[in-house]
Amino acid sequence: MRLDGDAWRAVFDSFQREAWRFEAQPTYTMPSEAENVARFLRGEPKPADHNARWHERVRNYTASGRRVGRVRVVTQPLTDYQRYQFAWGIPGNIAAGEDIRILDVTDEDRGLPLGGVDWWLFDEERLVQLRFRADGTQIDRRCHEGELAPYREWKRVALASSIPFQQYLREHA
């Protein structure tokens, strides 16, 4: 089932314990972020309300006892978009209560399991795959109807193989 707009928001907001994302694209080309990415690349200051709606949602989730987390896959050198995320996106998301870890695969010889597809796993019971074009433009979001065991296992491996964002910054600055 394809998820857009209100249907996507309803699926996302219905999680009871944890919303967890595997984030593998080197670049996300999202119209809602285009101007902020351009500002970042021009060296302009970050707007005070940058990503405020997501931060409010994360604070509400965590205030109700729910967790939000992700593992962000990177390779060196970081893409312009990843540099933008590291400087403007991730710190505010963490301050709002999201647990963000980095999985650096620069020295890995193998491809990512599950084809490097992005996905959200809700309560270990429901999975939504996010599909992208090569340029990072999202094609769609779809409820996964198949077996979840490979995704649960990759979540376990990704968490065990990644490090907290702040630690990654200290080690790679």
Side-chain angles (χ1 to χ4, degrees):
M1 173 174 82
R2 188 178 171 143
L3 296 170
D4 288 314
D6 291 339
W8 167 234
R9 181 74 186 254
V11 166
F12 196 105
D13 288 344
S14 69
F15 79 93
Q16 299 297 306
R17 294 175 308 282
E18 180 185 49
W20 189 84
R21 177 155 179 196
F22 180 68
E23 195 171 49
Q25 307 311 305
T27 298
Y28 295 94
T29 305
M30 299 170 30
S32 63
E33 286 186 329
E35 183 54 34
N36 279 329
V37 172
R39 285 179 181 150
F40 169 77
L41 294 174
R42 289 190 301 260
E44 296 176 14
K46 178 173 76 170
D49 64 346
H50 183 266
N51 219 10
R53 288 184 13 198
W54 175 247
H55 297 161
E56 181 180 350
R57 288 178 68 193
V58 170
R59 282 190 294 274
N60 288 337
Y61 297 140
T62 59
S64 70
R66 297 181 283 175
R67 296 180 312 277
V68 180
R70 72 181 73 207
V71 166
R72 176 71 172 105
V73 176
V74 300
T75 58
Q76 293 291 333
L78 297 178
T79 66
D80 285 346
Y81 184 84
Q82 289 168 337
R83 290 186 314 101
Y84 159 75
Q85 277 191 321
F86 276 42
W88 283 23
I90 293 173
N93 293 359
I94 290 171
E98 190 174 352
D99 175 34
I100 300 178
R101 301 175 62 84
I102 305 299
L103 176 59
D104 191 321
V105 296
T106 301
D107 298 326
E108 298 292 319
D109 319 7
R110 55 184 163 73
L112 291 172
L114 307 172
V117 173
D118 285 35
W119 39 276
W120 279 98
L121 181 61
F122 300 100
D123 299 325
E124 301 280 329
E125 299 168 0
R126 184 177 357 175
L127 187 119
V128 174
Q129 292 179 325
L130 302 116
R131 296 184 322 144
F132 296 87
R133 291 187 182 98
D135 71 352
T137 303
Q138 190 173 65
I139 299 168
D140 65 13
R141 297 177 207 95
R142 295 188 182 269
C143 288
H144 177 71
E145 303 295 332
E147 178 59 45
L148 293 180
Y151 294 92
R152 290 182 191 123
E153 175 60 13
W154 180 238
K155 176 187 173 190
R156 185 192 67 72
V157 169
L159 285 168
S161 303
S162 61
I163 60 175
F165 175 71
Q166 293 298 340
Q167 180 182 345
Y168 186 83
L169 286 183
R170 285 191 305 274
E171 294 177 4
H172 295 87

